[in-house]
Amino acid sequence: MKIFTIVFCILFFTVAVVFAAHPLTTDDIGTVEVGKYELEVGYDNNCKGESELRNHSCGISLKHGITEKMDIGISFPYQIKPKPAEPLGTAILGFKFLLIKNIFALTVNNELGSPEYFLNGIFSREIQPVTIHANIGYAVSGDENTEGEIIYSSAFEYPLSKIDLVGEVIGEKIGFQNYLLGVRYKLADVYSLNFAYGNGFRNTDEKIAFGFHTEF
């Protein structure tokens, strides 16, 4: 928690408008421009131990800008391998609200038809030349007998001419659990491809991810 606290404090000493994107799961304060769309397609190849079968999955996410301070999105997970009876998962609906300009945003996500939901507070700051994001979220179980779960993360983006170097760490109650390092390649102003590798700090949780991002 000490590392997270240091990063969290640094975020309050600089001001800039900043954005993050796939392959990071750590969110950013940016909302989609009014009337426009943001599309992301991702593929994950994951293994949680040497004796476990690799898990192949993908997903598609579409967001739409409603106002200058709000967007709405929907995502569809798809399980490739091991192949289940119903590979297409339940859609997840999400809302993002920019509550404090250039500083803080809040997201609310819910799997349709489920009492569970996820609240996530987002901070973003630019400390030239690096952009830093920090999230702290709470997963509500929807069951009064089951406690919710706190999840936190911190990410960085380092822009170069044609690529961005990105990375993040993700933690929960007992401390930091996973890390991810990746590259985002910019094909044009609104198109990018990305690749990332991640693993666990304490246990094997290897992850290889590919993705595509565009806005229109």
Side-chain angles (χ1 to χ4, degrees), residues 3-209:
I3 297 175
F4 180 79
T5 302
I6 292 171
V7 173
F8 191 86
C9 292
I10 289 174
L11 294 177
F12 285 94
F13 290 94
T14 53
V15 176
V17 179
V18 288
F19 303 89
H22 202 271
L24 298 175
T25 56
T26 302
D27 209 345
D28 61 89
I29 63 171
T31 56
V32 179
E33 189 176 337
V34 179
K36 293 194 174 182
Y37 294 88
E38 176 186 275
L39 175 68
E40 287 188 343
V41 180
Y43 165 80
D44 289 346
N45 184 325
N46 188 277
C47 181
K48 291 185 177 295
E50 295 180 1
S51 61
E52 299 288 334
L53 293 174
R54 298 199 70 89
N55 187 307
H56 302 258
S57 61
C58 64
I60 183 169
S61 172
L62 181 66
K63 295 181 180 180
H64 178 59
I66 303 299
T67 72
E68 292 182 356
K69 295 185 177 183
M70 174 188 172
D71 65 30
I72 182 173
I74 189 166
S75 61
F76 298 91
Y78 187 88
Q79 181 68 30
I80 300 172
K81 187 178 179 181
K83 190 173 182 179
E86 295 292 339
L88 182 63
T90 304
I92 298 171
L93 185 66
F95 298 87
K96 180 185 285 187
F97 306 92
L98 180 61
L99 300 181
I100 303 176
K101 186 178 180 180
N102 301 337
I103 296 176
F104 178 72
L106 179 72
T107 61
V108 183
N109 295 306
N110 170 253
E111 184 179 281
L112 296 181
S114 169
E116 301 176 7
Y117 60 93
F118 182 67
L119 299 172
N120 191 38
I122 306 159
F123 300 84
S124 295
R125 282 294 177 270
E126 184 177 4
I127 306 171
Q128 288 288 349
V130 179
T131 298
I132 296 176
H133 310 285
N135 291 187
I136 181 163
Y138 186 71
V140 179
S141 68
D143 182 351
E144 60 180 16
N145 298 316
T146 303
E147 290 187 5
E149 182 180 10
I150 295 175
I151 301 171
Y152 53 87
S153 65
S154 182
F156 76 88
E157 297 178 282
Y158 186 90
L160 300 172
S161 58
K162 273 289 185 181
I163 65 171
D164 292 339
L165 304 178
V166 300
E168 68 183 352
V169 291
I170 302 172
E172 53 187 41
K173 185 176 181 180
I174 62 174
F176 286 111
Q177 301 297 304
N178 308 89
Y179 69 87
L180 180 139
L181 296 171
V183 175
R184 186 184 305 129
Y185 179 73
K186 292 168 278 190
L187 299 173
D189 290 341
V190 293
Y191 298 98
S192 67
L193 298 174
N194 57 77
F195 168 80
Y197 172 83
N199 212 326
F201 288 113
R202 295 174 173 81
N203 302 303
T204 299
D205 193 7
E206 188 176 56
K207 175 181 178 180
I208 299 172

